[in-house]
Amino acid sequence: MAKSAYTTQDKKTLRKMFWNSGLVFSGFNMVKMEGNAFALTMEPALEELYEDQTERAEALQRHNGFFNTHAVFFALIAGITYALEKQKKTSGGVDDDVIENIKVALMGPTAGIGDAFFFNCLRVIAAGIAIGLCAQANFLGVILFVLIYGFSQFAARYYLLRMGYRYGTSFIDSVFESGLMEALTKAAGVMGITMVGAMVASSVNVKLAWTINVGQTSVVVLDIFNSIMPGILSILLVFGMVRLIKKGYKPITLVFGILVISIVLAFFGIF
């Protein structure tokens, strides 16, 4: 399904849907996840399409079930659903089950794409830049993080909502069939891993102050480790934390554990 142009009513409805989609986590719960927010996002479209109160109520109820995907691609699915609802109302080309099945089918793939690109890649890049500036007491780091990570999602939501409505189901099909999404996901993963490595090197610093005296000679333990590989203790610390998290330890527990161990070792002059 494809559309050639937006009508004035289309633009008005999409604008309302866009602002409503920003409330994706406002009604989040463990039963429906983002279901309440999806119904709220679809409300302007359903109000436009269904003048009959009973039909509109049934449509809202249909879209108020379980729904969960990445916050940015949430808008894409809403746009596609708007296109399908309009097709159902005007030509009867689709029915309720088809619309619901398409929504369910898109939740998983779009969640994976969104997490890989925005959460695992772009967020890490933005945080790496921001942390470096904030570590130097430069407030620009906060602003850049909001602009890079926040504004990019804001703009992507707007674009994907309109594209989802304009091209309907053919949008997501063409992207996957072209192989572009697989390439983007793989590139995003590589970039994310690279940025994690850069953040470890620049932000994690294990400063040993341990010096061993052997006769008239002093041996700095940190120099020994750095001679093997610069920053090896930082890398070992990060991998150790990852290992413990995989075993079920909570991050907050590890943070307090590092704090206590650091205080104890500093008392004995090791740190």
Side-chain angles (χ1 to χ4, degrees), residues 7-271:
T7 65
T8 302
Q9 183 60 51
D10 291 341
K11 293 178 181 178
K12 182 179 178 181
T13 300
L14 287 168
R15 184 164 57 249
K16 290 180 180 179
M17 290 179 66
F18 169 72
W19 292 114
N20 286 0
S21 70
L23 301 174
V24 58
F25 294 120
S26 61
F28 187 92
N29 61 70
M30 298 310 296
V31 177
K32 297 179 182 178
M33 296 291 186
E34 299 166 358
N36 291 327
F38 195 84
L40 177 63
T41 301
M42 291 301 302
E43 190 273 335
L46 301 179
E47 185 176 0
E48 172 205 338
L49 296 173
Y50 299 103
E51 295 182 1
D52 182 77
Q53 294 289 341
T54 302
E55 288 185 332
R56 188 188 307 169
E58 290 175 353
L60 278 170
Q61 184 65 33
R62 185 169 67 249
H63 292 302
N64 196 32
F66 177 85
F67 188 83
N68 190 40
T69 189
H70 188 271
V72 172
F73 286 88
F74 175 98
L76 171 67
I77 299 177
I80 293 173
T81 305
Y82 176 23
L84 293 172
E85 286 285 358
K86 177 165 282 191
Q87 186 176 3
K88 172 180 178 290
K89 180 64 177 179
T90 56
S91 66
V94 296
D95 56 26
D96 296 349
D97 290 337
V98 170
I99 295 174
E100 188 62 27
N101 289 338
I102 290 175
K103 280 173 52 184
V104 172
L106 290 176
M107 283 194 301
T110 53
I113 296 165
D115 287 341
F117 184 75
F118 288 101
F119 192 78
N120 296 332
C121 176
L122 193 60
R123 180 180 66 97
V124 175
I125 294 173
I129 296 172
I131 289 172
L133 291 171
C134 290
Q136 303 172 18
N138 191 334
F139 188 73
L140 184 62
V142 177
I143 297 175
L144 285 178
F145 180 82
V146 172
L147 289 177
I148 296 173
Y149 186 52
F151 184 76
S152 64
Q153 294 189 76
F154 183 87
R157 275 197 304 111
Y158 180 79
Y159 176 79
L160 289 174
L161 174 66
R162 294 172 69 89
M163 290 301 99
Y165 173 68
R166 184 178 181 88
Y167 297 108
T169 54
S170 64
F171 176 81
I172 197 73
D173 290 338
S174 61
V175 171
F176 275 102
E177 288 173 2
S178 68
L180 177 62
M181 195 54 68
E182 182 179 356
L184 285 176
T185 302
K186 185 176 294 185
V190 173
M191 179 65 74
I193 293 173
T194 302
M195 287 303 301
V196 168
M199 286 182 64
V200 170
S202 61
S203 303
V204 182
N205 191 7
V206 181
K207 295 183 178 180
L208 285 180
W210 191 12
T211 301
I212 301 176
N213 296 314
V214 181
Q216 301 296 320
T217 305
S218 297
V219 178
V220 180
V221 176
L222 183 59
D223 290 344
I224 296 175
F225 282 107
N226 285 336
S227 65
I228 300 172
M229 187 177 79
I232 189 173
L233 290 180
S234 301
I235 296 173
L236 292 174
L237 176 62
V238 171
F239 278 101
M241 294 299 102
V242 171
R243 177 83 176 187
L244 291 174
I245 289 174
K246 287 184 176 180
K247 285 188 174 182
Y249 288 89
K250 295 181 179 179
I252 189 65
T253 302
L254 299 179
V255 169
F256 280 109
I258 291 175
L259 178 62
V260 171
I261 293 173
S262 298
I263 292 173
V264 172
L265 293 180
F267 177 79
F268 288 103
I270 296 177
F271 272 9

